[in-house]
Amino acid sequence: MQRRVASGSSEQWVQCQKCKKILFKPDFERALRVCIHCGHHHRLRARERIAITLDPDTFVEQDAELRSDDPLRFPDYPDKLMRAQQTTGEFEAVITGTGKLGGSEVVIGVMDFAFMGGSMGSVVGEKIMRCFLRGADEYLPVILFCASGGARMQEGMLSLMQMAKTTAGVEKLQRAGLPYLAVFTDPTMAGVLASFASLADVIIAEPGALVGFAGQRVAAQASSGKPPTNFQTAEFQTEHGMVDLIVPRAQIRPTLLYLLEMFGGAG
Amino acid sequence: MTIFDFEKPINELESAIQELRQLSAEKGLDRSREIAELETQRERLLKQIFAHLRPWDKVLLARHPKRPYTMDYIRLMCEQFVELHGDRLGFDDPAIVGGLAKLGGYKLVVVGQQKGRDLKERQKRNFAMAKPEGYRKAMRLFQLAEKFRLPVLTLVDTPAADPGVESESRGISEAIARSMLTMFQLTVPTVAVVIGEGGSGGAIALAVANRVLMLEHAIYSVIPPEGCAAIIWRDASRAPEAADALQLTADDALRLGLIDMVISEPLGAAHRDPQTTALSLRSAILQQFHELSALTPEQLYQHRHERFRRMGTFLSTP
């Protein structure tokens, strides 16, 4: 440790957002941004997630040409979109496509919280809908990594309708008898949790992820008792039967492989 | 009763008319000319005010404490109604009512959120904020409708689904999601009407239908204007501006292609004349079911899927 401090530049060190301990960046990256001290799972960007999930160089992005409009001429929305695009290098809050997992083709969608809080507007809803339709049309399982604060306020009612639209997608895939696996990452909230996310055949969550319906303050105000300390965590949701299993980041890929093998969707 | 700013002059005239009537009755004086004059004024004022309602006024009207609620419409519209209770999982949520109704020759399953009229009932019904068990009761009734081939009518009127700890513990998100899923699976005709507040996920959970209608002064929104204002401007008191921005009125919903029809309310809004409102609602609903009766079960299923498949506005770059 001492030696590394002496030899490394400051860019080689990061601080855990939870336990605040200093971590050697190459180790931190190797651990997939999980703190080796406290196990805190730091958020990943969508393309980083795809890279650690799929077989190398198999991802083919789809529907990347879709862009958000500003149908309501909502205050500052175009600026917010532009800023999100500049800071993230992405055009929207979900990256979707196809790729291979253990040699088998799957449809994958990964939400990116860095893009406007992973909020679901018309483009996110459409891209997720197309994941389900692609799965049903091409007989492929669908895997979605969720990370979202909920519906995108700036598209008003149109965003609300995406909850129904994506649910229709789940229904189509279900009818086709194909597996749909969801992974709840930090955070999976509100309009996303209350639509397609909660309808997966199997729901995996990352340890410590925030998973819930309303904001914590709103929830506390609406309740008589004090919320439990683990309220709206992946662990809380698992205790209450809303999540199948909590899986540490490094084990997610093998877990998905196992599930797909069991459902006959891969392997 | 709460008097809203824009209603104040109307209410003042109405009490003046009331006073004159009482005076003429008590003193035996004929004040009919004055009364008629005030009535004309009242009518003119109503027309004037209601011709220029802002979105925020509509929010207040949609939440008006005298506005007719689900059970009022059921009583006024249906020939018969038997309420059914419980989710068969341990609970019966008073925030959602449902049952079997006869309406103009149709046998229907009706489900809707129910607000309370006085403080006690408001608390009992949790201000129409349904818990998971409410949506699970709804799903049970939807499945009953499917089994016995009964068309489904839902009446939507909720500020939001219940956000409390208890609801979270029992899976409010999953219940909302599954309610929508169940509505997509139906092969019977379904009609949803937003009669008051269409509050985000809690509302759309009951509004996945072949036809979605709104009463003229109902609202449908992804977030309450107060919450929206608190997020954008860190100031909930700027809710009226947020109401403009959110485009949450029935006319907005129609223009955005999200609903099929706006049902007119009597001059001065539904609470001034619940009977007439119920009649308009009834004939609009019957018209929808009549049109949908031309579709086969498979077509009804497909039609509902296609309806929501189209929703959203985006660009596609080359």
Side-chain angles (χ1 to χ4, degrees):
Chain A
M1 212 58 174
Q2 221 35 15
R3 191 178 48 82
R4 280 174 181 167
V5 172
S7 67
S9 71
S10 64
E11 281 134 49
Q12 278 185 281
W13 301 93
V14 288
Q15 190 178 31
C16 171
Q17 282 170 10
K18 191 163 182 210
C19 72
K20 308 291 177 201
K21 287 204 173 117
I22 305 294
L23 305 161
F24 187 50
K25 209 170 171 193
D27 289 349
F28 180 57
E29 293 298 333
R30 214 168 303 126
L32 309 174
R33 295 209 193 137
V34 175
C35 174
I36 50 161
H37 301 290
C38 72
H40 180 64
H41 283 53
H42 293 77
R43 285 174 190 154
L44 290 183
R45 297 291 312 281
R47 290 190 200 271
E48 294 168 338
R49 177 73 67 173
I50 290 167
I52 65 164
T53 304
L54 294 180
D55 301 350
D57 304 319
T58 60
F59 179 64
V60 180
E61 188 169 356
Q62 310 271 7
D63 304 317
E65 73 283 3
L66 301 188
R67 301 279 184 280
S68 286
D69 198 357
D70 180 16
L72 305 190
R73 311 230 168 277
F74 199 93
D76 299 329
Y77 186 33
D79 284 353
K80 278 212 171 72
L81 278 171
M82 208 167 7
R83 243 175 297 145
Q85 286 164 358
Q86 279 162 0
T87 56
T88 63
E90 300 293 353
F91 286 106
E92 258 304 331
V94 68
I95 308 298
T96 59
T98 51
K100 285 196 159 64
L101 191 67
S104 295
E105 190 85 351
V106 297
V107 174
I108 188 167
V110 182
M111 303 186 82
D112 198 329
F113 190 74
F115 192 105
M116 290 189 75
S119 57
M120 176 162 68
S122 297
V123 171
V124 170
E126 177 71 16
K127 287 175 93 172
I128 285 170
M129 178 63 172
R130 291 189 191 181
C131 282
F132 291 121
L133 295 180
R134 190 166 288 124
D137 286 349
E138 298 174 23
Y139 297 98
L140 297 174
V142 175
I143 299 169
L144 294 180
F145 286 81
C146 306
S148 175
R152 186 172 295 170
M153 191 175 71
Q154 289 83 353
E155 291 184 28
M157 261 186 272
L158 289 159
S159 293
L160 182 63
M161 294 303 139
Q162 305 311 308
M163 290 176 66
K165 180 171 172 171
T166 54
T167 297
V170 179
E171 207 279 330
K172 286 281 183 196
L173 191 77
Q174 219 172 59
R175 194 161 287 242
L178 290 151
Y180 161 35
L181 310 176
V183 184
F184 293 178
T185 70
D186 186 57
T188 297
M189 299 293 293
V192 164
L193 185 66
S195 62
F196 67 91
S198 287
L199 296 168
D201 295 309
V202 174
I203 297 173
I204 295 169
E206 282 198 336
L210 188 69
V211 179
F213 179 62
Q216 298 240 345
R217 220 182 38 214
V218 174
Q221 276 167 1
S223 314
S224 43
K226 236 180 97 183
T229 49
N230 72 348
F231 185 60
Q232 289 186 337
T233 58
E235 291 73 14
F236 171 91
Q237 297 294 354
T238 309
E239 266 171 44
H240 290 91
M242 295 301 142
V243 165
D244 284 285
L245 63 171
I246 295 179
V247 181
R249 189 164 288 164
Q251 292 306 309
I252 288 179
R253 180 182 146 95
T255 306
L256 291 172
L257 275 168
Y258 183 77
L259 292 169
L260 291 184
E261 186 198 340
M262 294 308 288
F263 296 150
Chain B
M1 133 175 199
T2 324
I3 293 169
F4 298 120
D5 286 346
F6 70 92
E7 273 196 314
K8 216 171 164 183
I10 307 167
N11 286 322
E12 279 167 6
L13 265 179
E14 280 173 350
S15 18
I17 294 167
Q18 193 62 29
E19 256 172 58
L20 271 180
R21 283 218 174 98
Q22 227 165 351
L23 207 67
S24 9
E26 280 166 17
K27 304 262 169 82
L29 298 168
D30 181 17
R31 307 295 285 268
S32 56
R33 277 229 335 251
E34 279 166 80
I35 292 172
E37 173 63 27
L38 285 177
E39 291 273 16
T40 319
Q41 265 187 46
R42 172 185 172 272
E43 179 99 357
R44 204 182 314 131
L45 196 60
L46 269 174
K47 272 188 189 146
Q48 212 174 34
I49 289 170
F50 275 78
H52 299 102
L53 288 181
R54 295 166 312 151
W56 178 247
D57 299 326
K58 300 251 187 183
V59 173
L60 296 178
L61 281 173
R63 296 173 180 169
H64 200 290
K66 290 208 164 166
R67 193 167 175 84
Y69 299 147
T70 291
M71 285 305 284
D72 299 315
Y73 287 124
I74 290 176
R75 225 176 356 255
L76 291 166
M77 287 194 310
C78 299
E79 288 88 56
Q80 272 180 290
F81 177 72
V82 172
E83 190 179 347
L84 303 175
H85 289 274
D87 65 357
R88 300 297 187 271
L89 297 160
F91 300 95
D92 180 42
D93 187 354
I96 287 186
V97 294
L100 301 167
K102 287 189 185 171
L103 179 77
Y106 288 93
K107 292 189 275 185
L108 303 175
V109 163
V110 183
V111 175
Q113 287 102 347
Q114 176 65 33
K115 293 183 175 178
R117 199 56 75 182
D118 55 29
L119 184 64
K120 207 174 138 203
E121 199 200 353
R122 265 181 220 139
Q123 282 169 341
K124 178 187 147 197
R125 300 202 183 270
N126 196 29
F127 310 90
M129 295 190 292
K131 295 179 177 164
E133 47 267 34
Y135 296 107
R136 289 182 182 131
K137 169 164 68 179
M139 283 183 251
R140 207 194 114 226
L141 296 177
F142 297 152
Q143 277 152 357
L144 206 63
E146 181 74 8
K147 181 174 178 185
F148 297 105
R149 312 269 350 130
L150 302 171
V152 173
L153 170 68
T154 60
L155 299 176
V156 176
D157 188 14
T158 179
D162 180 63
V165 173
E166 226 188 307
S167 288
E168 188 75 77
S169 309
R170 293 202 283 273
I172 184 65
S173 301
E174 189 270 352
I176 289 171
R178 200 162 298 279
S179 182
M180 291 191 288
L181 186 81
T182 306
M183 292 193 89
F184 271 120
Q185 289 168 330
L186 301 179
T187 62
V188 292
T190 56
V191 174
V193 189
V194 184
I195 57 168
E197 283 185 276
S200 65
I204 200 166
L206 296 186
V208 175
N210 291 106
R211 294 283 165 84
V212 181
L213 320 179
M214 281 177 81
L215 279 176
E216 187 183 348
H217 302 307
I219 57 164
Y220 204 175
S221 184
V222 69
I223 184 170
E226 292 88 342
C228 179
I231 294 172
I232 315 180
W233 300 296
R234 294 171 199 285
D235 182 1
S237 71
R238 290 175 73 177
E241 282 168 77
D244 288 336
L246 284 166
Q247 303 191 21
L248 40 61
T249 69
D251 287 337
D252 293 326
L254 189 69
R255 184 174 38 77
L256 293 167
L258 308 182
I259 61 167
D260 303 279
M261 181 184 182
V262 178
I263 305 166
S264 300
E265 294 184 27
L267 185 61
H271 61 282
R272 285 204 160 71
D273 190 350
Q275 257 90 3
T276 306
T277 313
L279 276 178
S280 311
L281 184 61
R282 184 186 143 100
S283 73
I285 291 165
L286 287 174
Q287 181 198 331
Q288 306 305 317
F289 279 126
H290 178 71
E291 288 171 17
L292 291 171
S293 67
L295 301 183
T296 65
E298 173 63 20
Q299 285 171 331
L300 286 162
Y301 165 87
Q302 291 296 354
H303 170 269
R304 202 177 306 114
H305 270 265
E306 280 155 25
R307 188 182 185 285
F308 285 90
R309 175 74 188 86
R310 286 192 301 269
M311 287 185 184
T313 302
F314 51 84
L315 309 166
S316 190
T317 58

